[in-house]
Amino acid sequence: MMIWPSIGVVIPTRTRPRLLAHALNSVLAQDYPGPLRVVVVYDQVPPDRGLARGGDRPVTVIANWRRPGLIGARDTGILALDTDLVAFCDDDDRWLPGKLSAQVRALEDEPGAEFSTCAIEVQYRGRRSIRLAGRTRITRDQLLVSRRAMLHPSGFLVRRASLIEIGPDGIGPDGIGLFAEDAPSEDAADWDLLLRAANRTPIVHVDEPLVRVLWSHTSRFSYEYDSKIDSLEWLLDRHPEIAECAPGAARVYGQMACWSAARGDRRAALRFTRQAVRHNWREPRAAIALAAASRVVRVESVLEALHRHGHGI
């Protein structure tokens, strides 16, 4: 008979009560047989203590006491828990039925596994797209080639001990470590955590869409091109092995070329495009960047078309 581990769910939020209610309800409605509790972490705003509840699935409401922002709020939640496993759900996402049970089974079936993910269903402008990985294990080498957008943080399920066992350098070697609060963006922190986890043991992936992710065309980060470039440079500095992987390096330099073109920096766009082509002449982002730098297309138009199918640049 399986002994179901206890799970703590971290939901970071700020000022989106209606979305938060949907996210929280989707977590509490899970059919998971084991102990389940939720920590709602309010970031930079007064917490709504009215959400707190007791019972067999308690909800605790706290304020973010670490770095302001989503990354620090997640780390605050991790440290506030004492459960066997930690899961995350952004306040604008929803878990689909059976998510936790499927991921826990997959994690427990893989000896030594520490980290689990699942596929997602992207909702954008009323359209839904399924993003699958096509595999049940994600390795470090695969993550170097591609960030794999379907590995969304709202699908992360991790052994808590692996996140808090931190060595002298703050990120290991005794554990995976917390989310990197010095990361320029949440996207960078997510990829960094995945790389650190996969460097220890392959990530167990449930290739079913068990999380519905809301993509908004008004997202603040979507068009903050300077932040996107800073994030990729931070990742290349923190994980030099990305630059040593030809297709992975081409992908990153191609993205940097696109964001440079979008912000009107033609010289940087051409420089990054050359680096992308040098690593992989077939890199499609290089062509997008060249077209954008030549004002043939707008990066925003390309993004809009890709988002309608659940993809990004």
Side-chain angles (χ1 to χ4, degrees), residues 66 71 74-76 78-79 86 88 114-115 156-182 189-200 234 238-239:
R66 294 178 68 90
I71 305 170
R74 286 177 182 156
D75 284 345
T76 292
I78 294 168
L79 296 172
V86 177
F88 305 90
E114 299 177 305
F115 202 117
F156 290 1
L157 179 70
V158 195
R159 297 196 186 279
R160 182 177 179 273
S162 298
L163 292 172
I164 62 172
E165 292 176 358
I166 303 172
D169 60 0
I171 59 172
D174 299 325
I176 299 170
L178 299 171
F179 285 91
E181 295 180 29
D182 63 330
D190 297 341
W191 193 9
D192 168 68
L193 188 71
L194 287 167
L195 284 168
R196 284 190 273 131
N199 194 49
R200 291 165 54 84
W234 179 86
R238 191 173 178 95
H239 297 279

Side-chain angles (χ1 to χ4, degrees), residues 15 55 66 106 141 144 149-150 154 173 176 197 205 234 259 277 279 303:
T15 54
R66 294 178 68 90
D141 288 346
L144 293 177
M150 73 288 299
S154 289
I176 299 170
H205 181 72
W234 179 86
W259 308 142
V277 172
H279 285 87
L303 271 175

Side-chain angles (χ1 to χ4, degrees), residues 10-48:
V10 179
I11 305 181
T13 192
R14 191 176 295 180
T15 54
R16 301 193 285 196
R18 292 183 64 182
L19 288 173
L20 172 62
H22 289 304
L24 181 58
N25 289 338
S26 75
V27 170
L28 296 175
Q30 290 289 305
D31 63 355
Y32 184 65
L36 178 66
R37 60 174 299 190
V38 180
V39 174
V40 179
V41 184
Y42 276 82
D43 175 53
Q44 304 176 68
V45 295
D48 179 3

Side-chain angles (χ1 to χ4, degrees), residues 196-243:
R196 284 190 273 131
N199 194 49
R200 291 165 54 84
T201 183
I203 292 169
V204 176
H205 181 72
V206 178
D207 208 26
E208 301 174 33
L210 299 174
V211 174
R212 181 172 298 152
V213 176
L214 176 63
W215 280 8
S216 171
H217 66 284
T218 60
S219 171
R220 175 185 60 81
F221 184 65
S222 294
Y223 302 105
E224 286 194 352
Y225 302 119
D226 288 346
S227 180
K228 286 177 175 289
I229 294 170
D230 290 344
S231 295
L232 293 171
E233 289 177 335
W234 179 86
L235 281 161
L236 288 172
D237 181 64
R238 191 173 178 95
H239 297 279
E241 62 271 26
I242 296 174

Side-chain angles (χ1 to χ4, degrees), residues 111-170:
E114 299 177 305
F115 202 117
S116 174
T117 56
C118 65
I120 62 174
E121 177 185 278
V122 177
Q123 180 173 323
Y124 181 74
R125 292 185 181 270
R127 177 173 181 152
R128 294 179 182 174
S129 305
I130 305 298
R131 295 297 308 273
L132 303 175
R135 59 188 73 246
T136 58
R137 297 169 85 246
I138 308 295
T139 66
R140 169 183 170 274
D141 288 346
Q142 290 161 355
L143 282 171
L144 293 177
V145 172
S146 170
R147 158 65 177 85
R148 296 183 174 270
M150 73 288 299
L151 308 186
H152 190 278
S154 289
F156 290 1
L157 179 70
V158 195
R159 297 196 186 279
R160 182 177 179 273
S162 298
L163 292 172
I164 62 172
E165 292 176 358
I166 303 172
D169 60 0

Side-chain angles (χ1 to χ4, degrees), residues 246-264:
R251 177 180 178 275
V252 168
Y253 287 126
Q255 289 176 317
M256 295 170 75
C258 288
W259 308 142
S260 296
R263 69 177 184 178

